[in-house]
Structures are given as structure tokens and as C-alpha cells.
Amino acid sequence: MGGLQRFEQKLEQAISGVFARTFRSAVQPVEIAAALQRELDNKAQVLSRQRRLVPNSFFVELSAGDLERMAPYDSTLERELAEQLNEHAELQSYVFPGPIRITFETAEDLGTGRFRVRSKAEASVTGHSRPHGNLRTRAVLEVNGTQHPLQPPGLVVGRGSEADIRINDPGVSRRHAEFLITSSPGADAVPGGGPVQVEVHDMGSTNGIRVDGQKVPRAALRDGSRVQIGHTSLTLRLMEEAADV
């Protein structure tokens, strides 16, 4: 018995067959499972002879009617789909950069029984904050839906446990890049502070850094600058008003 057949049987058993009757004329769960597996196969990136990086964040777009029918069972379906993807990844020597996330969304251009899958590799991110007394946060780094305060003198981003922001991305070196922040003279003595300057420096990483699409060893950043390290993008946000950390 194939993996998709086992998936279909297991899913029907999990919800006592109600799911199969509900979706008889709409999107079938096994079709979604097959599409997600194809997404892994089509987007696999070679890391080594025996390891390939694949997406771990998936968005399944459905018609409003199909999404409404699915609502009572979405948590069960997400769990079973994730398990199916893990089994497929193990067989194919695929590597996920972080936990599997499957989100169901409405798409107005899709009719009943039609669906579409989008995906991206999204590494898990862990921040290790350091005490900075009464300094105010005037800049943050946004990484995969998380925000990390950026305060003088700065912080190190990498895959290793010693990094201030740890990113579980196989394309990121243990100490990949350093973000340095400086304030105008006397800024910290004034409520609200003054303008800040932020730079990013490559720390001799294997894959280097890209700032707004350009590969550089170092660069000055502005609000909205995007820094690419490995397969992960970090966005700098400068705050107009100070906020206590």
C-alpha cells in the first residue's frame, strides 16, 4: 500500500469517516497530501550528497466553500498532513529548516474542488537577549515572524549556540553576521533618544551576506533593509518612538 493510501485510510479512521462524506464533491485530503509532497520534490535544494533542504511552511489556498467545509477538521488534517510530509522527507533524505506549518486560506479566484499550494523554507529562530540597563530599543530585526531588539553595541546572528539570534538554517554559518548599532552623541541621555546608525558585517561566513539583493562584505542599513543569510531574510525596522525594553 502506498503512502498516500495509508494517509487516506488513517485520516478517515481518525474522524470516523465523516470527513470522506463531507468532502465527496470538494477538495480531497489525499489530493492536498500529494500536492504537498510534490512541493517538497520540486523545491528540494541540495545541501550535500545525502541531504536536501525543503520548505517547511505551507499555505493551502481553497475556495470559501471548501474552506468552510474543512473548518471542523482542519486541526486533524494539519496534523496528519504534517506526519505524511515527515515520512516522505525521511524516505527522500529531505531536511526541514524548522517545524512544519500548514495554513489553510481562502482564494477568491478558486472554485469548489480547486486548490493551490504555496510554500517557503522558514528556519526556526531563537533569540538570546542580553541586559542593557535602561537603554531604549530604537531598532529591531524581523526574522520569520519574530522580532528581536537591536541595541548598542549590536548582536551576532548565526546557527551556533553562541549567537545572539540563532537561526536553524543549514545555509547559515555558526557565526554568520554581526549587526552593529551606534547612536548620535548624547542620544541615550535624551528621552526618546536620537537617530541610530546600523551596519551589518559578514563574519567570514561560508555563503556570505546579501543586502537588498547585493552580495557585500559589509553595508550600512536603513529602515526596511533586507539582509539575506543562507535561506533566511532579516529585515531592519527603525522605530520612530522609543519603547522601554
Side-chain angles (χ1 to χ4, degrees), residues 11 101 114 141:
L11 186 62
R101 292 195 311 153
R114 302 289 299 276
L141 287 175

Side-chain angles (χ1 to χ4, degrees), residues 72-86:
Y73 318 106
D74 56 2
S75 60
T76 298
L77 182 57
E78 289 169 17
R79 182 173 63 252
E80 298 299 338
L81 287 171
E83 185 173 330
Q84 174 70 17
L85 288 178
N86 272 316

Side-chain angles (χ1 to χ4, degrees), residues 49-240:
R49 291 184 60 184
Q50 297 181 333
R51 298 169 69 237
R52 287 180 287 177
L53 180 73
V54 291
N56 62 308
S57 184
F58 302 89
F59 302 88
V60 181
E61 299 178 350
L62 303 149
S63 68
D66 282 340
L67 189 62
E68 184 178 356
R69 294 184 188 93
M70 184 177 295
Y73 318 106
D74 56 2
S75 60
T76 298
L77 182 57
E78 289 169 17
R79 182 173 63 252
E80 298 299 338
L81 287 171
E83 185 173 330
Q84 174 70 17
L85 288 178
N86 272 316
E87 291 179 3
H88 184 65
E90 186 174 350
L91 289 173
Q92 301 297 327
S93 298
Y94 291 156
V95 176
F96 294 110
I100 295 175
R101 292 195 311 153
I102 301 173
T103 304
F104 297 98
E105 300 178 338
T106 301
E108 295 182 357
D109 63 323
L110 295 178
T112 300
R114 302 289 299 276
F115 70 96
R116 184 166 52 230
V117 173
R118 295 180 290 111
S119 68
K120 60 182 178 179
E122 193 171 76
S124 58
V125 181
T126 305
H128 302 286
S129 60
R130 294 179 293 184
H132 291 278
N134 294 322
L135 293 183
R136 295 175 179 272
T137 299
R138 293 193 296 281
V140 297
L141 287 175
E142 295 181 348
V143 194
N144 291 350
T146 64
Q147 289 193 336
H148 304 267
L150 183 56
Q151 298 173 325
L155 52 77
V156 172
V157 177
R159 187 165 45 86
S161 58
E162 67 274 19
D164 300 303
I165 299 179
R166 186 178 182 184
I167 302 177
N168 183 28
D169 181 335
V172 172
S173 297
R174 296 186 63 82
R175 290 172 59 86
H176 197 113
E178 184 175 21
F179 288 80
L180 301 175
I181 181 169
T182 58
S183 303
S184 59
D188 291 324
V190 180
V196 296
Q197 292 83 43
V198 181
E199 292 185 354
V200 61
H201 294 209
D202 180 24
M203 301 183 72
S205 65
T206 301
N207 296 318
I209 62 174
R210 290 183 178 272
V211 177
D212 296 328
Q214 301 296 317
K215 190 168 185 178
V216 293
R218 64 180 61 191
L221 305 179
R222 63 182 187 281
D223 182 41
S225 289
R226 299 176 68 87
V227 180
Q228 186 81 22
I229 63 173
H231 306 279
T232 301
S233 179
L234 304 90
T235 302
L236 174 69
R237 299 297 183 192
L238 299 179
M239 319 297 283
E240 292 185 2

